[in-house]
């Protein structure tokens, strides 16, 4: 029965909307063969000129056959085998840059081809296996994702769900391939470097966003129309009109798969369907990097009900499995986390433009009554809902995952700026600051509702940022800058009050809400609608905040207040770390000033100190000093901003500073980090790790292995090192017992034996300046004969001088050797007799 249902659905779809494309694909295309042949023989400019002529001269029937090949040859294939034109590596200085931009711009030949095919209602398949992991797994489970982009698009082959595909119109297909080319791994030639600021892909994303999401006016109409006079088929079914956007059918998957002819498309939606499709494609492709479990938690209640109905219908069939064939385990799937810095920067560009697009909403539309929304233009309605409906949920999970998985280095700045761009929509209103006093007014009150509807974006991600920053080196100027950026944003007047007000609304007791009115928490992303006039408008701030938090974190979430006691303790810890890092930066700054003064003084003699800069991370003195000064400034201002955000007065701040200790700046910097004695030696505590990260204390790094097995130095003769090692190893192996017995004696001979057969480091005071395993220490303290000193060029030079000096006094080699051995023995004898007294005298 299940196979029969699939066959019927597939038959209907093929009969209604896919027969023409299937017949065309069976015919050979001589045009396609000629274009493929020209790719290997003709230069790039000539090929583009011929493509422009082909697009203008040939009918849609012929162009339909070359369209998938042309898109792949430009943007690359979904499996990464074809790289295309390498838009991500094409810089503005390249000779091909202007040619590519002219060909792919919104008014260029490529989009002209898309509109030409759009008028004929051609469809192109995208295998479900190339969709983002959570979407693919959800479809294979038999549930259509909660996104209109996938409605009425699924194609069922007879071979089973593993070969499912989406039938997209030409515009959707092109934008899908364009968005996927950012995240598809490709085998690019080695040595190529991505520059996000000026590469062709980044610029094209910006151009497409400004064209299809205009801040003024509407999207220009397509130059081609179908026979009925409509632009192109809208991507939504009649059951999901734009006025009721966000309301999905509770039917099973097979009921979603219905064909929609363009004649029945909603006329009001024709104005913005390309804008809507563009946003959906970008968001679905770029922001799907999380587990399937999280994806299903964000599904609307209606889609969850569809999944339940599907499972119940399948369980009523004894011979059928509970899940469709090839579905896999729905709850154990986890897509690997792969966003790159370039990926995040493109997402930030999308966020910034969507804010500018939404902020261009006319003031009368913002303040109008609910009944007036039905009389506004579709573009204005789309501006009002685009951020909350499409971006909020997926971007929150995307950023939260980045905060938890991104490396602790300066590349996190891209994630940070994306987050800060989203939580500051008032920066993209287009309003110019008329006077300096506008800077002190803070966030306008009209943005309070945005802060409440995005409360977790402020509070939860701020907590994630704190967890990262306490584990980073704040003496590094890039890390200090990130702390400064976040603290400056949250210190804007009124913003902390808005966040605190949102938390108070969320924490309002449930019984108070029931006395007001009984409602179900539904947000537009979870079954509610921003545009539907049939749904009651959620105007109560309490319900708005609770719907947002429960929608993203679930009904059982344990909310941690940003201004609560626990987080306040973390902030106080961060303040201490900032103060410690500031002291370290000051110490480095003073040291660099001394180095610069010494170099300036020695320059009078034509000399310098080339090795002094090595202590300053390998940088130049002037550059390092400037970075340290910036670090000190960033940390100083960050302290002020954090005190403003969490309302810390001067007395509380001075009390925190006093806990650092007055002698920490100089004395403690020369001590060991905080450690505890473990079974295998010293072990760092959390305080010790923090001291190392911020440069407050450090270990004197030294070699702690077998002294005889150290790497051969540049001042040693490699042949002699190996020869003496073999000689000393044979001697130590044969006379080990005798040497240990000699060194264990407490008389004069024992002391003399320990002088010659034990390393000086272990004889000094036994103090370990860095962690060392007990077994290693015990092995290195065993008595042994070491001849490695004789392999040093300096020792060989001294011996040569001694022999030459002896020759001047008519001493032969044997006599000189006896004198050297006698002198060495007498030196050891004197050290053994008077060494302890000399130590007491000088200490």
């Amino acid at each position: 029965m299940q196979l029969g249902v699939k066959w019927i659905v597939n038959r209907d779809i093929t009969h209604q909307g896919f027969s023409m494309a299937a017949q065309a694909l069976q015919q050979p295309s001589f045009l396609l063969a000629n274009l493929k042949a020209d790719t290997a023989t003709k230069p790039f400019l000539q090929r583009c000129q011929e493509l422009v002529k082909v697009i203008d001269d040939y009918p849609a029937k012929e162009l339909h056959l070359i369209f998938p090949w042309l898109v792949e040859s430009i943007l690359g294939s979904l499996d990464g085998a074809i790289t295309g034109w390498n838009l991500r590596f094409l810089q503005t200085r390249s000779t091909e840059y202007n040619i590519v931009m002219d060909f792919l711009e919104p008014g260029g030949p490529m989009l002209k081809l898309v509109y030409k095919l759009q008028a004929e209602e051609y469809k192109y398949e995208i295998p479900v296996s190339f969709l983002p992991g959570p979407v693919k797994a959800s479809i294979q489970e038999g549930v259509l994702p909660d996104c209109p982009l996938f409605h009425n698009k699924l194609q069922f082959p007879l071979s089973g769900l593993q070969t499912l595909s989406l039938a997209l119109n030409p515009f959707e297909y092109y934008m899908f391939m364009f968005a996927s080319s950012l995240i598809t791994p490709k085998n690019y030639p080695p040595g190529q470097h991505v520059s996000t600021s000026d590469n062709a892909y980044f610029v094209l994303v910006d151009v497409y966003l400004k064209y299809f999401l205009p801040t003024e006016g509407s999207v220009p109409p397509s130059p081609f129309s179908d026979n009925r006079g409509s632009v192109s088929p809208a991507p939504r079914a009649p059951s999901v009109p734009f006025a009721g956007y966000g309301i999905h059918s509770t039917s099973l998957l097979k009921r979603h798969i219905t064909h929609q002819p363009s004649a029945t498309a909603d006329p009001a939606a024709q104005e913005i369907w390309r804008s809507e499709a563009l946003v959906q494609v970008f968001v679905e492709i770029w922001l799907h990097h999380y587990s399937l479990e999280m994806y299903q938690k964000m599904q609307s209640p209606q889609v969850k009900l569809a999944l339940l109905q599907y499972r119940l219908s399948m369980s009523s069939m004894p011979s059928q499995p509970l899940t469709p064939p090839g579905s896999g385990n729905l709850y154990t799937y986890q897509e690997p986390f792969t966003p790159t810095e370039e990926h995040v920067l493109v997402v930030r560009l999308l966020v910034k433009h969507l804010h500018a697009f939404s902020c261009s909403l006319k003031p009368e539309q913002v303040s109008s009554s609910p009944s007036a929304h039905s009389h506004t233009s579709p573009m204005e309605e789309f501006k009002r809902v685009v951020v909350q409906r499409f971006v909020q949920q997926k971007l929150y999970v995307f950023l939260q995952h980045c905060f938890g998985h991104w490396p602790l280095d300066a590349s996190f700045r891209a994630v940070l700026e994306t987050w800060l761009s989203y939580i500051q929509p008032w920066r993209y209103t287009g309003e110019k600051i008329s006077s300096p006093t506008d800077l002190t007014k803070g966030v306008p009150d009209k943005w309070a509702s945005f802060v409440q509807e995005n409360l977790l974006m402020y509070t939860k991600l701020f907590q994630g940022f704190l967890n990262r920053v306490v584990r980073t080196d704040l003496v590094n100027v890039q890390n200090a800058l990130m702390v400064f950026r976040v603290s400056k944003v949250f210190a804007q007047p009124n913003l902390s009050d808005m966040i605190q007000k949102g938390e108070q609304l969320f924490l309002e007791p449930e019984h108070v809400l029931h006395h007001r009115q009984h409602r179900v928490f539904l947000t537009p992303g979870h079954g509610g609608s921003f545009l539907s006039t049939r749904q009651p408008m959620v105007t109560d701030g309490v319900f708005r905040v609770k719907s947002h938090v429960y929608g993203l974190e679930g009904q059982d979430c344990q909310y941690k207040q940003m201004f609560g006691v626990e987080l306040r303790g973390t902030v106080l810890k961060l303040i201490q770390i900032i103060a410690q890092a500031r002291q370290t930066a000051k110490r480095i700054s003073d040291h660099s000033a001394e180095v610069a003064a010494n170099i300036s003084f020695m320059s009078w003699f034509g000399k310098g100190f080339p090795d002094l800069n090595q202590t300053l991370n390998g940088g130049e003195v002037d550059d390092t000093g400037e970075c340290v000064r910036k670090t000190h400034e960033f940390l100083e201002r960050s302290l002020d901003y954090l005190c403003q955000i969490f309302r810390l007065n001067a007395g509380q701040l001075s009390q925190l500073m006093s806990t650092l200790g007055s002698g920490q700046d100089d004395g403690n910097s020369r001590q060991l980090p905080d450690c505890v004695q473990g079974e295998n030696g010293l072990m760092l505590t959390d305080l010790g790790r923090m001291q190392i990260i911020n440069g407050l204390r450090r270990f004197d790094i030294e070699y702690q292995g077998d002294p005889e097995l150290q790497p051969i130095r540049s001042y040693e003769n490699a042949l002699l090192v190996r020869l003496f090692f073999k000689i000393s190893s044979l001697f130590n192996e044969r006379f080990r017992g005798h040497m240990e017995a000699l060194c264990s004696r407490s008389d004069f001979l024992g002391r003399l034996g320990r002088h010659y057969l034990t390393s000086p480091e272990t004889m000094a005071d036994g103090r370990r300046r860095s962690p060392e395993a007990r077994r290693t220490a015990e092995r290195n303290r065993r008595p042994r004969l070491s001849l490695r000193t004789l392999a040093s060029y300096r020792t060989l030079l001294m011996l040569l001088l001694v022999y030459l000096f002896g020759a001047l006094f008519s001493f032969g080699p044997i006599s000189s050797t006896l004198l050297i051995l006698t002198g060495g023995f007498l030196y050891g004898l004197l050290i053994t007799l008077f060494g302890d007294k000399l130590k007491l005298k000088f200490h």
Side-chain angles (χ1 to χ4, degrees), residues 388-457:
Q388 298 296 99
R389 175 63 183 89
F390 291 100
V391 180
Q392 183 200 61
Q393 293 176 328
K394 295 180 175 64
L395 181 65
Y396 169 74
V397 180
F398 179 82
L399 290 176
Q400 190 178 35
H401 208 163
C402 287
F403 273 58
H405 292 76
W406 204 273
L408 293 172
D409 56 20
S411 65
F412 184 72
R413 178 77 184 277
V415 180
L416 186 75
E417 294 299 334
T418 304
W419 171 45
L420 297 181
S421 295
Y422 181 83
I423 64 176
Q424 297 182 92
W426 46 85
R427 293 178 53 192
Y428 309 101
T429 58
E431 300 175 359
K432 296 183 179 179
I433 299 176
S434 58
S435 63
T437 56
D438 293 341
L439 294 173
T440 60
K441 293 181 180 179
V443 182
D445 295 336
K446 65 179 181 179
W447 293 105
S449 60
F450 178 88
V451 174
Q452 294 170 7
E453 293 171 357
N454 294 270
L455 184 63
L456 292 176
M457 282 285 192

Side-chain angles (χ1 to χ4, degrees), residues 591 595-596 598-600 602-603 606-621 624:
H591 179 64
V595 172
N598 291 334
I599 293 177
S600 178
M602 294 303 296
S603 64
K607 298 179 181 181
F609 297 95
D611 295 334
L612 289 176
N613 293 339
Q614 294 179 1
T615 60
L616 301 175
N617 299 325
E620 295 296 333
V621 175
T624 303

Side-chain angles (χ1 to χ4, degrees), residues 45 66 142 176 186 189 483 575 672 697 756 759 806:
L45 176 60
I66 71 168
F176 184 95
K186 296 181 175 64
V483 177
I575 290 177
L672 287 178
R697 300 185 186 181
Y756 286 109
S759 60

Side-chain angles (χ1 to χ4, degrees), residues 619-727:
E620 295 296 333
V621 175
D622 294 340
D623 295 340
T624 303
E626 181 64 24
C627 289
V628 172
R629 283 191 292 272
K630 289 182 179 180
T631 300
H632 192 276
E633 179 183 357
F634 289 148
L635 296 178
E636 184 74 24
R637 297 180 67 179
S638 298
L639 281 177
D640 296 337
Y641 287 138
L642 288 174
C643 291
Q644 294 177 25
I645 297 170
F646 294 93
R647 296 176 176 85
L648 299 175
N649 54 41
Q652 292 173 311
L653 185 61
S654 61
Q655 184 179 1
L656 286 173
M657 298 298 104
S658 63
T659 59
L660 298 178
S662 58
Q664 195 175 41
D665 193 18
D666 296 322
N668 289 347
S669 61
R670 299 183 178 89
Q671 298 177 5
L672 287 178
D674 189 64
C675 301
V676 294
Q677 188 67 38
E679 295 181 356
N680 295 322
L682 295 177
M683 298 180 61
L684 281 172
T685 63
D686 292 338
L687 176 60
R689 294 187 184 94
M690 185 195 69
Q691 291 169 341
I692 291 178
I693 288 175
N694 292 281
L696 300 176
R697 300 185 186 181
R698 63 183 178 86
F699 290 110
D700 293 330
I701 304 300
E702 60 184 15
Y703 181 79
Q704 293 182 342
D706 189 344
E708 297 299 310
L709 298 179
Q710 296 185 56
I712 298 175
R713 306 296 195 267
S714 60
Y715 55 82
E716 293 178 325
N717 184 281
L719 180 62
L720 291 178
V721 168
R722 296 187 178 97
L723 176 62
F724 289 143
F725 175 74
K726 292 180 180 179
I727 295 173

